[in-house]
Amino acid sequence: MTLYYNFLLQYGIYLEDVIVWFFSHYLISEFSAPHFRIAMPSHGTTYSEKCVSVCIAIDSILKQFAEYAQKGSLNFELLRMSSAPARIIEIPSLSTNKYAYSNGETLNGIADLIFSDQSTLSFISRLQGKHDTFYELITSEVVYISDYEKWDVPRIDFLKKNHLITIDNSGIISFCDFQALIIIRDIFLSEVINIRHYPSKMQEKIKCMEKAGYLRFGNTLLSKPEIDYFNYCLNKSEFANGLDLRNSYVHGIMQTEDNESIHKNNFFTLLKLFILLVIKINDEFCQKNEDREST
């Protein structure tokens, strides 16, 4: 973020101004969105003052987006009546069923057996640990059920019961339902998937997996891992060891810190959060626009 910020400065562009342009012009011209009000720090202020302004701006945008997502419009009179910061975990998406998460131990167990490098199914004695995961093993080699010790057979049966592998008459193990495998792999790697970014056939598969109890849907602006990251950086609502940048600057706690390099580092951390927020909000309006065009 620091390198990118300085790169733009070589062309006389301030990243703060880009963020203002996104909310004040781009969303309006591109999506006919309402005019989000935003005030970013002026160019000549100290990094400490910049941090205060950016924290306030992030709070304001989150509250405005939550208002728009809930009511389809912005009422600044009502927004001014509430001084409490928006709870990031409660900010809704403009779409329904935006995210999918694992719905419990069944999917978690499946993912660990197939994609974890700690799975005992990834090892058979005749190959001596040639492959890191069960998925790599089965897709790279001819593997028989007889290759496994008796204590691993119940795990193989578990995957078969959940319709992810088949065993033919020769005892060869093969994967089936590769759509489900892709979804499980993505959740294993990222904890969450954005349903709308998958092809329509995959979206149908995700819905089937939700109905079968493997997945649960979420409908927030940020995914749970993103919510955790924002909360870690901005407050202590979830993490006692969080950076608490928002509360520290807005309540004046950091004003006693006279090390400008600390404020500079915090400023770029806050800018990184803001850019992530811009990306997420842009994706929301892109999806809403696609829905409008498809009807």
Side-chain angles (χ1 to χ4, degrees), residues 33-142:
H35 185 275
F36 285 78
R37 297 181 184 177
I38 180 172
M40 293 292 277
S42 57
H43 302 156
T45 55
T46 66
Y47 281 110
S48 174
E49 293 167 329
K50 288 178 187 292
C51 287
V52 174
S53 297
V54 173
C55 285
I56 293 171
I58 289 175
D59 260 5
S60 176
I61 289 299
L62 287 172
K63 290 176 70 173
Q64 289 178 66
F65 184 84
E67 171 85 3
Y68 176 71
Q70 291 166 350
K71 301 178 181 178
S73 61
L74 289 176
N75 187 324
F76 292 101
E77 293 298 324
L78 287 176
L79 287 169
R80 279 193 288 269
M81 293 174 63
S82 174
S83 59
R87 295 192 70 228
I88 298 172
I89 196 171
E90 295 177 350
I91 299 174
S93 170
L94 300 179
S95 305
T96 57
N97 298 334
K98 179 179 180 180
Y99 298 116
Y101 304 87
S102 168
N103 195 35
E105 293 305 314
T106 299
L107 191 80
N108 294 340
I110 291 170
D112 286 341
L113 288 174
I114 297 175
F115 296 108
S116 172
D117 59 7
Q118 302 300 308
S119 171
T120 60
L121 298 185
S122 64
F123 180 87
I124 55 177
S125 58
R126 67 180 173 87
L127 293 177
Q128 292 298 309
K130 182 179 176 181
H131 300 284
D132 291 334
T133 68
F134 181 67
Y135 182 82
E136 291 179 13
L137 176 65
I138 298 301
T139 54
S140 304
E141 310 283 351
V142 176

Side-chain angles (χ1 to χ4, degrees), residues 144-274:
Y144 296 85
I145 185 66
S146 58
D147 285 320
Y148 285 96
E149 303 292 343
K150 61 181 180 181
W151 50 79
D152 274 325
V153 173
R155 298 181 177 95
I156 297 291
D157 289 339
F158 172 69
L159 295 179
K160 184 179 178 182
K161 178 183 176 182
N162 285 280
H163 312 293
L164 292 167
I165 63 170
T166 60
I167 304 173
D168 68 14
N169 293 333
S170 301
I172 297 175
I173 302 172
S174 302
F175 282 119
C176 55
D177 200 346
F178 279 89
Q179 285 188 338
L181 285 170
I182 291 170
I183 293 162
I184 294 168
R185 179 204 62 191
D186 290 351
I187 290 180
F188 174 78
L189 293 174
S190 303
E191 301 179 44
V192 60
I193 56 174
N194 189 323
I195 301 169
R196 302 295 297 278
H197 287 188
Y198 286 80
S200 57
K201 288 185 178 180
M202 291 287 286
Q203 290 186 34
E204 290 301 317
K205 185 64 181 181
I206 291 168
K207 291 176 183 177
C208 290
M209 292 176 69
E210 189 270 338
K211 289 180 180 178
Y214 292 104
L215 302 174
R216 62 178 176 85
F217 290 155
N219 187 35
T220 50
L221 169 63
L222 302 177
S223 68
K224 184 58 170 65
E226 291 164 343
I227 290 169
D228 290 343
Y229 181 61
F230 270 70
N231 281 333
Y232 171 79
C233 292
L234 294 177
N235 56 65
K236 290 189 175 181
S237 64
E238 291 188 59
F239 305 97
N241 64 337
L243 302 180
D244 203 27
L245 295 179
R246 185 262 175 203
N247 293 335
S248 296
Y249 279 104
V250 171
H251 297 304
I253 299 170
M254 285 298 293
Q255 307 312 102
T256 60
E257 175 59 64
D258 59 2
N259 188 333
E260 191 69 356
S261 66
I262 292 177
H263 294 301
K264 183 178 181 180
N265 183 68
N266 290 340
F267 172 66
F268 285 115
T269 297
L270 290 166
L271 273 187
K272 181 170 65 173
L273 291 174
F274 222 147

